[in-house]
Amino acid sequence: MNTDKYATVIWKNVKLNVGKNIVEIRTSDGNDTAEWTVKI
Amino acid sequence: MITSELNDIAHQLDPSRMTVCANNVEGSFNFITDAMAFNKYFGWYYNKVEDFGPFYDNLHAKYPNTKFGLSEYGAGASITQHVSQFVPEEDPRPSSRGPWHPEEKQTAYHISHIKMIAERDYIWGTFVWNMFDFGSKGRNEGDTPNINDKGLVTYDRKIRKDAFYLYKANWNKKEKTTHLCSKDYTDRKEDVTDIIAFTTAPSASLFINGKQIGK
């Protein structure tokens, strides 16, 4: 997805998996990651 | 009036320097100094975030030859409190004077403000309130008493909040930045979320458990 004029990228209403989610952002200027766990 | 006296003294001490008055209300005293600025917290202490634009646009229409500063703006954030949606404009908002200051509220507030400020070239300068959380005796807000948590960095200077990286990616083009927001919201009850990244790169890709989401 393209970055907007203000260095921001937004994904709205993303569905996560119940349980573990390894979330990764990959760009040409580096990557970042998180581990989120969903318990419903 | 003390503002006039102080303005005169400042000019006598150093005629080369401009004077400026920071205020949170409109009045004749705003025109005493060489420049004026306002402390405004639309969407935090009052009104909604989007009311920032009409306030400044109305001022600009009323005083077209005057440029205005934004001497304070900001929103509180506790790094231990999170929500899955970034929606500063929707009610019910977290109470600015209460214990619930989810970090995403601050992030959304600054995303809105950096855009609204950039769209108005008659604003001569802006000042985020504040770089760091700071002591504020008697305040009982967010997750820690006696702290003003509007900082982009925590009180102990150890943790940069998400909004810090918004400004870094926008203002520091010499250093490559890619930052995923809400990383500390690790245990969740919602299976639908907004995901926000700040980056100096022209585009970004999102993967969840190795699968690319929304190209």
Side-chain angles (χ1 to χ4, degrees), chain B residues 9-49:
Chain B
I9 291 170
H11 280 146
Q12 288 163 14
L13 290 172
D14 188 347
S16 70
R17 294 196 190 194
M18 293 181 71
T19 56
V20 60
C21 175
N23 217 312
N24 62 358
V25 292
E26 194 182 344
S28 59
F29 40 81
N30 294 122
F31 294 91
I32 294 169
T33 52
D34 300 315
M36 71 168 76
F38 291 95
N39 302 347
K40 286 295 176 185
Y41 290 89
F42 293 108
W44 182 245
Y45 287 131
Y46 40 75
N47 295 66
K48 294 186 176 185
V49 165

Side-chain angles (χ1 to χ4, degrees), chain B residues 161-176:
Chain B
K161 302 179 189 178
D162 290 335
F164 172 94
Y165 293 95
L166 168 69
Y167 290 103
K168 183 185 178 194
N170 275 276
W171 293 347
N172 182 359
K173 299 298 184 186
K174 292 181 180 175
E175 196 171 324
K176 293 178 179 178

Side-chain angles (χ1 to χ4, degrees), chain B residues 38-94:
Chain B
F38 291 95
N39 302 347
K40 286 295 176 185
Y41 290 89
F42 293 108
W44 182 245
Y45 287 131
Y46 40 75
N47 295 66
K48 294 186 176 185
V49 165
E50 60 265 31
D51 292 326
F52 171 96
F55 170 80
Y56 270 93
D57 290 344
N58 289 336
L59 270 182
H60 182 54
K62 197 172 176 181
Y63 309 107
N65 297 318
T66 302
K67 294 192 183 298
F68 307 95
L70 180 56
S71 35
E72 281 186 28
Y73 72 103
S78 301
I79 59 168
T80 60
Q81 299 175 353
H82 296 282
V83 291
S84 57
Q85 308 293 322
F86 295 74
V87 282
E89 74 281 11
E90 290 187 6
D91 287 328
R93 295 193 300 253

Side-chain angles (χ1 to χ4, degrees), chain B residues 170-188:
Chain B
N170 275 276
W171 293 347
N172 182 359
K173 299 298 184 186
K174 292 181 180 175
E175 196 171 324
K176 293 178 179 178
T177 295
T178 295
H179 176 81
L180 168 63
C181 295
S182 303
K183 279 206 291 286
D184 293 335
Y185 189 18
T186 54
D187 296 311
R188 297 167 174 247

Side-chain angles (χ1 to χ4, degrees), chain B residues 15 30 32 63 85-86 94 100-101 122 124 127 139 142 146 148 153 160 168 170 199 211:
Chain B
N30 294 122
I32 294 169
Y63 309 107
Q85 308 293 322
F86 295 74
W100 182 237
H101 286 185
Y122 57 81
W124 58 261
F127 301 83
R139 191 178 286 254
N146 301 313
N148 184 321
V153 182
R160 296 168 176 179
K168 183 185 178 194
N170 275 276
T199 181
K211 180 182 174 186

